[in-house]
Amino acid sequence: MQLEKNVQVKQPKYQQIAVDLASKIVERKYRIGDRIYSRSSLASQYNVSAETARRAIAVLQDLEIVEATKGSGVIIISYEKAAHFVRQFHDVQSVHELQHELMTSIQKQHQELINLQEKTKQLISRTEHFRSVNPFIPYQLEMTAESPCIHQTVQELNFWQNTSCTIVGIRRQNELLLSPGPYVSLEEGDIIYFIGNDESFARVQSFLYPN
């Protein structure tokens, strides 16, 4: 079951009252053998119905923290079990808080992914439109030592025959070689500029870096 955004997980009121009473036992505000409020007084103190107060006492009684008998009221009988109940409750609360934080993080990442996909679609759309207006905008690719084409000329590589693309420029350090021709070699660090169709970049990359 997926929780809606901003939904908070809360414990029932009677359980909150039971934990509060157990916490007071742990804090020594109540001692073993002490009598605590009657159900009616408890209902008034916590501003709840008598039934809610009865359920809170029933929780403590089921856990053997208190003993409720007719005529004797509600008596504290176990500090250790009260402490165990409080620890257990806080552990559950911590799990709920972590679950809520996790759900919030997942929802945030999901929204960010949607935004990223939308921006990507916009970029692709605008790029395709831009290229349709000016199809001579060149692609670019850097030559690195991983390429087996280093030190070979454009002619030796049969660049156009293998890629159907035309190299229109090579940037080498601080120089830009325009229309370099077939006899220029490709060197490590060169940025080559080439034109072609929509598949050009992938084709040239595969040719220059076959592995």
Side-chain angles (χ1 to χ4, degrees):
M1 178 180 68
Q2 183 175 1
L3 295 178
E4 294 181 3
K5 192 175 182 180
N6 298 329
V7 171
Q8 295 182 348
V9 177
K10 289 187 176 181
Q11 298 294 336
K13 188 65 178 179
Y14 71 86
Q15 191 167 29
Q16 294 178 36
I17 295 172
V19 171
D20 187 60
L21 292 172
S23 297
K24 289 178 179 178
I25 296 171
V26 173
E27 293 166 4
R28 306 293 184 178
K29 292 180 180 179
Y30 296 131
R31 301 285 181 175
I32 301 301
D34 286 352
R35 285 182 173 84
I36 61 175
Y37 306 100
S38 65
R39 294 178 180 84
S40 58
S41 298
L42 201 61
S44 177
Q45 179 189 356
Y46 287 97
N47 194 27
V48 296
S49 67
E51 175 61 19
T52 299
R54 185 194 68 78
R55 290 185 181 183
I57 294 299
V59 169
L60 298 178
Q61 189 174 7
D62 290 343
L63 295 173
E64 298 179 348
I65 297 172
V66 302
E67 185 178 72
T69 58
K70 290 183 179 181
S72 298
V74 180
I75 302 173
I76 309 299
I77 61 173
S78 177
Y79 170 88
E80 290 76 13
K81 290 181 179 179
H84 177 73
F85 175 49
V86 171
R87 284 197 302 270
Q88 188 178 50
F89 177 82
H90 288 311
D91 287 344
V92 170
Q93 285 295 95
S94 297
V95 169
H96 286 162
E97 289 171 2
L98 287 172
Q99 288 175 336
H100 178 70
E101 291 175 3
L102 180 60
M103 289 299 300
T104 300
S105 178
I106 290 173
Q107 290 167 349
K108 183 178 180 181
Q109 290 180 10
H110 179 66
Q111 186 59 49
E112 289 177 348
L113 180 60
I114 291 175
N115 292 337
L116 178 60
Q117 290 173 338
E118 183 60 31
K119 295 299 182 184
T120 301
K121 289 179 182 178
Q122 293 179 14
L123 177 61
I124 292 173
S125 176
R126 293 182 184 183
T127 300
E128 290 176 348
H129 173 72
F130 197 52
R131 289 194 179 280
S132 67
V133 174
N134 188 350
F136 297 106
I137 296 175
Y139 298 93
Q140 68 181 64
L141 192 64
E142 182 178 1
M143 299 299 299
T144 68
E146 285 75 23
S147 174
C149 302
I150 294 294
H151 305 314
Q152 297 188 56
T153 66
V154 175
Q155 184 180 55
E156 290 170 340
L157 293 170
N158 289 322
F159 189 86
W160 184 86
Q161 292 85 343
N162 285 300
T163 65
S164 300
C165 298
T166 301
I167 295 178
V168 295
I170 297 177
R171 190 176 73 194
R172 182 168 295 166
Q173 296 179 352
N174 295 325
E175 295 182 347
L176 178 61
L177 308 174
L178 294 177
S179 301
Y183 304 112
V184 66
S185 62
L186 302 182
E187 304 297 337
E188 182 178 354
D190 284 355
I191 305 293
I192 65 170
Y193 299 90
F194 54 93
I195 57 175
N197 58 27
D198 292 341
E199 291 78 29
S200 296
F201 184 84
R203 211 165 36 237
V204 171
Q205 188 176 45
S206 178
F207 175 67
L208 296 179
Y209 297 94
N211 296 326

